[in-house]
Amino acid sequence: MGQHKNIFEVKHNDLRPQKGRILISEPFLHDIYFQRSVVLLVEHNARGSMGFVLNKRIDLIVNDFFPELKNLPDIPVYLGGPVSASHLFFLHVLGRKIPHGVQIDENLYFDGNFDALKKYILDRNPVEGYIKFFLGYSGWTENQLNGEIIGNSWLVSTSTSVEIMQAGDDAFWKKSVRSLGSPYDTWTNYPKYPDMN
């Protein structure tokens, strides 16, 4: 396996992780949470890092958690990561309409006042492309993420808030890899389950 990996291995691109940037998993990462994943960093500092897997939709809807949302269109949930896996988090592009949100970049916010968010939804405002929900989050301790990047488990890149809010599945991983240019073409050609070929 190691010899085959060298064919596809591409060294990290020296872009540093920071809040608002994305992490793209290398194709050999076979973790249930992180295989072909793209993670948005919502925090990165000397104490550690926090983010959400953007492209792992699961078979749950937000409506099931809140009776008052039962009669509204289904609102999908994504698997944010293995930490606090029973806690619901959200990203949004609603700015100050949702008080106490943590600003990630010019347009993107993390969490905020949940009562205000529910009122926004109950007033039948648009959700798709504006709010994204996650069960759990991805976390790294001090220097852990930097070590994984040096070990080529992740590439750091950027994405727009529109792309982040629309990310849904492996197609977003491929699109994110392609945005890095031709040196990474081999990544998108590598089979997801090579043992089955």
Side-chain angles (χ1 to χ4, degrees):
M1 176 70 172
Q3 289 179 333
H4 295 296
K5 182 171 180 175
N6 290 337
I7 296 171
F8 293 92
E9 186 175 61
V10 178
K11 297 298 182 189
H12 63 95
N13 58 359
D14 294 323
L15 192 61
R16 291 190 152 326
Q18 67 182 42
K19 181 167 72 171
R21 287 187 174 165
I22 59 170
L23 304 173
I24 305 168
S25 69
E26 57 100 345
F28 301 93
L29 203 55
H30 292 297
D31 178 276
I32 187 171
Y33 292 96
F34 299 125
Q35 183 182 37
R36 304 243 168 161
S37 67
V38 181
V39 178
L40 172 70
L41 288 175
V42 297
E43 190 60 68
H44 180 75
N45 56 43
R47 296 187 308 277
S49 308
M50 176 185 183
F52 296 102
V53 177
L54 297 170
N55 61 322
K56 302 282 181 180
R57 185 171 172 171
I58 57 178
D59 291 331
L60 292 173
I61 56 172
V62 176
N63 315 57
D64 290 337
F65 296 94
F66 304 100
E68 60 269 43
L69 303 181
K70 283 281 188 189
N71 296 321
L72 295 179
D74 289 353
I75 303 170
V77 177
Y78 292 80
L79 187 63
V83 186
S84 294
S86 61
H87 189 94
L88 195 64
F89 300 89
F90 62 95
L91 294 173
H92 64 89
V93 291
L94 301 173
R96 300 302 176 197
K97 289 181 182 176
I98 310 299
H100 312 301
V102 177
Q103 190 166 9
I104 305 305
D105 65 20
E106 185 179 351
N107 301 309
L108 195 60
Y109 291 76
F110 158 55
D111 274 3
N113 184 287
F114 199 75
D115 289 333
L117 183 76
K118 277 202 295 187
K119 183 179 185 317
Y120 172 91
I121 296 171
L122 287 166
D123 287 345
R124 297 189 176 266
N125 289 301
V127 174
E128 186 176 353
Y130 291 84
I131 309 167
K132 194 165 187 170
F133 289 89
F134 304 88
L135 271 182
Y137 69 90
S138 303
W140 292 265
T141 57
E142 179 183 0
N143 292 323
Q144 182 184 2
L145 178 57
N146 288 331
E148 290 180 11
I149 290 169
I150 290 168
N152 299 316
S153 291
W154 301 99
L155 280 170
V156 182
S157 188
T158 60
S159 192
T160 68
S161 58
V162 171
E163 291 169 332
I164 285 166
M165 298 307 285
Q166 292 177 346
D169 54 23
D170 282 359
F172 184 62
W173 178 84
K174 287 186 174 183
K175 179 179 179 181
S176 299
V177 171
R178 288 190 185 110
S179 74
L180 297 169
S182 58
Y184 300 92
D185 285 348
T186 52
W187 279 29
T188 59
N189 295 327
Y190 186 77
K192 188 171 183 178
Y193 300 105
D195 296 339
M196 299 181 72
N197 287 340

